[in-house]
Amino acid sequence: MAVRDEKLLIGGAWLPAESGETFETRNPATGEVLARIARGTAGDVDRAVDAARRAFEEGPWPRFSPADRQKLILGLADLLERDAEQFARLDTLEMGSPIRHTRGSVAMLVDLLRYFAGIARSVEGTTNRPSDPGTFACTVKEPVGVCGAIIPWNGPLWASVLKLGPVLASGCTLVLKPAEDASLAPLRLAELALEAGVPAGVFNVVTGFGAEAGAALAAHSGVDKIAFTGSEATGRRIVQASAGNLKRLSLELGGKSPNIVFADADLEAAAKTAVIAAFANSGQVCSAGTRLFVERAVHREFAAEVARIAGTLKIGDGLDPETDLGPLVSARQLERVCGHMDDALAAGAAPLSGGGRLSGAAYDKGFFFPPTVLVEARDDMRAVREEIFGPILATLPFDSEDEVIARANATEFGLGAGVWTSHLGRAHRMARALKAGSVWVNCYNRIDPAVPSGGIKASGHGREYGRQHVEEHFQTKSIWIDTTV
Ligand code: NAI
Ligand code: MG
């Protein structure tokens, strides 16, 4: 048993939850209990926020120069690289994602930390030019303060690193609340942060349930900013909870992203990518391309090709290096996805592949659902309007550019959008017309440390990755000097 098991990290010490209670976390491929996790509640959040406040105001952290912070983040990146395989296995074991996928994700996160380390050195204020010649004015950037992060289970290490990196780069401090279905990688990351020399209280982890630890963190008057990734419904609760002290928020919520294929596109590449866009991580991806609009002339053939490729994906335990798709994260998630499936069938949609929970000896103990490609779907079906967060893709024929723009945008969400065409002018027109935080042309779901990512409308606000992500952790202070005295 590791020292962190059944503990919270508060002020640099591993402590049991005040409640004394723990809960189980399971492997979704086998149903086995992997570990017990401390059930943090409001009192633990209080202790963690106090520790984060002290670390922000006093001790070594406020004296770290940008160069010191850069060095610290680079050190943490090296440790993550050293332990990459362990982290990949932890995420695969706890949330089911295939090991090939989690390995790739750790490598990207090492690079992401190194990117943030660079930004730590280059955040600058301005020298301004007031109209009054007797004044001098400039701006300085100051860290926002104590940050809270509430993260989902679909990429536990990914979300933890994405929240921690900018906090370290900016000189803020953090209380992280992992998802109850996936706390192991965040806890291990906290251990690594201590090893890297992150001062006590700069990074705190309070595991527990959303309605307990999460709600307490979102409402806490000692927290200056919350970064939340998760469902739209919980996002709304976090907005309400933030009103108490009017804390700053960044929200990365769900999506129902369109992926639009014109008949003039490279259809082979479009079909291959459409499968990955919808089914990677078993569809548990916020920017999954789940509404596949295909120009009518090629719709039938294209949908059949997507279903054929989907049928070749190997489904199984994520630890098997041959596995393309693992299980869904939990029994609860499987139940939600099955509910959407029943709904879609009842509404008249027809599956070209998949269509219901997988059964058989290899699947019965886990939560497996096959990649499902629907035809005969309509824009107004629940499965076409709501985020499913499972491997269900609706194909929808369209006739014209204007029509598909209107239909693609007719959603409360606006996270990502894909466009496939060989027509340059159309690519540019579509990129501007689609209402989404990211548009991918002849590709899908590209992510890079240097490129901002985030949503509009009900997909949230604020941007992660890129310079802006770090800058959202600063406030601008204006300093005025009367130069006439
Ligand atoms: P959720 O949004 O409830 O959970 C995300 C995080 O919020 C977890 O850490 C949870 O403990 C916390 N949380 C829950 N209630 C809270 C509250 N009242 N105050 C503060 N924190 C709270 O998502 P859940 O229930 O795991 O999944 C439901 C659906 O949400 C999925 O089917 C999917 O559609 C969507 N989702 C979207 C994600 C994304 O990346 N955009 C990630 C996870 C889920
Ligand atoms: Mg689990």
Side-chain angles (χ1 to χ4, degrees), residues 151-153 177 180 210 214 231 234 253 286 332-333 336 387:
I151 60 170
W153 40 260
K177 208 299 276 176
E180 43 274 56
S231 65
T234 301
L253 310 176
C286 47
R332 189 174 69 133
Q333 196 62 18
R336 277 197 200 116
E387 180 171 59

Side-chain angles (χ1 to χ4, degrees), residues 108-171:
M108 193 279 272
L109 293 170
V110 170
D111 186 42
L112 179 65
L113 281 174
R114 290 178 180 148
Y115 175 83
F116 287 136
I119 301 287
R121 290 298 286 276
S122 65
V123 173
E124 291 168 345
T126 56
T127 309
N128 306 67
R129 300 286 303 275
S131 303
D132 178 351
T135 54
F136 170 86
C138 66
T139 63
V140 291
K141 296 283 179 182
E142 295 186 342
V144 158
V146 175
C147 299
I150 301 173
I151 60 170
W153 40 260
N154 57 329
L157 178 68
W158 158 78
S160 314
V161 171
L162 197 57
K163 304 307 185 216
L164 178 63
V167 161
L168 296 179
S170 60

Side-chain angles (χ1 to χ4, degrees), residues 54-72:
R54 274 198 308 281
F56 181 71
E57 306 285 356
E58 304 158 20
W61 187 234
R63 293 196 296 273
F64 267 56
S65 68
D68 296 333
R69 293 203 298 269
Q70 179 188 40
K71 201 169 161 204
L72 182 74

Side-chain angles (χ1 to χ4, degrees), residues 92-106:
T92 293
L93 277 170
E94 199 179 20
M95 56 73 64
S97 196
I99 190 83
R100 264 194 283 133
H101 175 90
T102 53
R103 280 180 186 144
S105 155
V106 181

Side-chain angles (χ1 to χ4, degrees), residues 53-414:
R53 176 59 60 190
R54 274 198 308 281
F56 181 71
E57 306 285 356
E58 304 158 20
W61 187 234
R63 293 196 296 273
F64 267 56
S65 68
D68 296 333
R69 293 203 298 269
Q70 179 188 40
K71 201 169 161 204
L72 182 74
I73 300 168
L74 289 174
L76 180 60
D78 289 346
L79 294 180
L80 187 58
E81 195 167 48
R82 180 196 71 191
D83 292 349
E85 183 61 19
Q86 184 192 31
F87 276 99
R89 291 178 69 87
L90 274 179
D91 269 3
T92 293
L93 277 170
E94 199 179 20
M95 56 73 64
S97 196
I99 190 83
R100 264 194 283 133
H101 175 90
T102 53
R103 280 180 186 144
S105 155
V106 181
M108 193 279 272
L109 293 170
V110 170
D111 186 42
L112 179 65
L113 281 174
R114 290 178 180 148
Y115 175 83
F116 287 136
I119 301 287
R121 290 298 286 276
S122 65
V123 173
E124 291 168 345
T126 56
T127 309
N128 306 67
R129 300 286 303 275
S131 303
D132 178 351
T135 54
F136 170 86
C138 66
T139 63
V140 291
K141 296 283 179 182
E142 295 186 342
V144 158
V146 175
C147 299
I150 301 173
I151 60 170
W153 40 260
N154 57 329
L157 178 68
W158 158 78
S160 314
V161 171
L162 197 57
K163 304 307 185 216
L164 178 63
V167 161
L168 296 179
S170 60
C172 291
T173 58
L174 179 65
V175 178
L176 175 72
K177 208 299 276 176
E180 43 274 56
D181 281 318
S183 308
L184 294 178
L187 287 166
R188 175 71 190 124
L189 179 69
E191 214 168 39
L192 224 58
L194 293 179
E195 185 183 344
V198 172
V202 170
F203 182 27
N204 308 276
V205 182
V206 179
T207 50
F209 295 107
E212 298 175 355
L217 185 59
H220 205 291
S221 61
V223 174
D224 300 303
K225 173 182 188 296
I226 291 274
F228 171 72
T229 303
S231 65
E232 184 204 343
T234 301
R236 284 179 201 281
R237 283 190 203 105
I238 286 177
V239 172
Q240 281 159 359
S242 74
N245 69 336
L246 296 164
K247 58 174 71 67
R248 198 187 276 205
L249 293 180
S250 69
L251 303 171
E252 212 277 67
L253 310 176
K256 194 73 195 179
S257 298
N259 187 15
I260 302 167
V261 181
F262 288 91
D264 65 20
D266 175 345
L267 294 176
E268 197 185 320
K272 272 192 202 139
T273 306
V275 170
I276 299 164
F279 301 132
N281 212 23
S282 296
Q284 302 166 119
V285 174
C286 47
S287 50
T290 47
R291 290 185 297 148
L292 182 60
F293 290 98
V294 187
E295 202 165 349
R296 193 176 305 275
V298 294
H299 170 252
R300 271 285 156 182
E301 208 182 322
F302 191 84
E305 177 60 5
V306 169
R308 186 194 65 76
I309 301 171
T312 65
L313 298 177
K314 189 167 181 299
I315 304 167
D317 190 325
L319 284 179
D320 179 345
E322 300 291 304
T323 292
D324 297 307
L325 295 188
L328 297 172
V329 69
S330 61
R332 189 174 69 133
Q333 196 62 18
L334 178 64
E335 201 177 300
R336 277 197 200 116
V337 172
C338 290
H340 275 289
M341 188 71 238
D342 293 345
D343 243 51
L345 294 177
L352 291 184
S353 69
R357 181 185 181 172
L358 281 173
S359 55
Y363 302 123
D364 284 347
K365 291 206 175 94
F367 315 123
F368 293 92
F369 198 97
T372 297
V373 176
L374 298 176
V375 289
E376 311 299 338
R378 288 185 322 271
D379 296 11
D380 63 354
M381 288 179 174
R382 191 168 81 93
V384 182
R385 284 185 289 108
E386 293 181 12
E387 180 171 59
I388 298 177
F389 234 59
I392 300 180
L393 168 67
T395 68
L396 302 155
F398 71 89
D399 294 296
S400 76
E401 196 177 309
D402 286 345
E403 174 208 325
V404 78
I405 289 168
R407 288 170 64 195
N409 288 340
T411 165
E412 60 173 326
F413 296 113

